[in-house]
Amino acid sequence: MKKIVKFSVERTTQAEVEIGIDVPDEFLDEDGEVCDDEGLRDWAEENHKWTDQELIFEEVVDTSVIEVLNSY
């Protein structure tokens, strides 16, 4: 029997953002090049100024059903 089912989903995406930011000196070598990618990544995660930026690329990585809301 065919039914209409309404459900909520959760989507996980991967995206790229490109912005000009002032990188703290602790992540730069003496030539001004980034030398600590992991530290800079952690710093960027805590510094949410980038979250309002337009994404240059976005891809849905996973979609899963959270809850069935209604069916008829």
Side-chain angles (χ1 to χ4, degrees):
M1 175 184 297
K2 193 171 203 171
K3 294 208 167 263
I4 303 296
V5 179
K6 180 179 178 182
F7 50 89
S8 61
V9 298
E10 179 179 67
R11 280 199 171 148
T12 303
T13 64
Q14 180 175 331
E16 293 177 3
V17 176
E18 184 174 84
I19 60 171
I21 57 174
D22 291 323
V23 175
D25 291 340
E26 64 193 89
F27 305 116
L28 304 175
D29 63 16
E30 56 274 351
D31 296 326
E33 299 296 320
V34 174
C35 63
D36 183 2
D37 287 343
E38 287 183 26
L40 181 56
R41 183 194 65 220
D42 293 343
W43 175 84
E45 180 69 30
E46 294 172 7
N47 180 1
H48 297 287
K49 293 178 184 176
W50 55 269
T51 57
D52 294 335
Q53 299 297 314
E54 184 175 332
L55 304 176
I56 59 173
F57 169 81
E58 184 174 24
E59 172 184 32
V60 175
V61 178
D62 184 51
T63 302
S64 56
V65 175
I66 304 296
E67 177 182 11
V68 173
L69 302 172
N70 196 359
S71 61
Y72 53 93

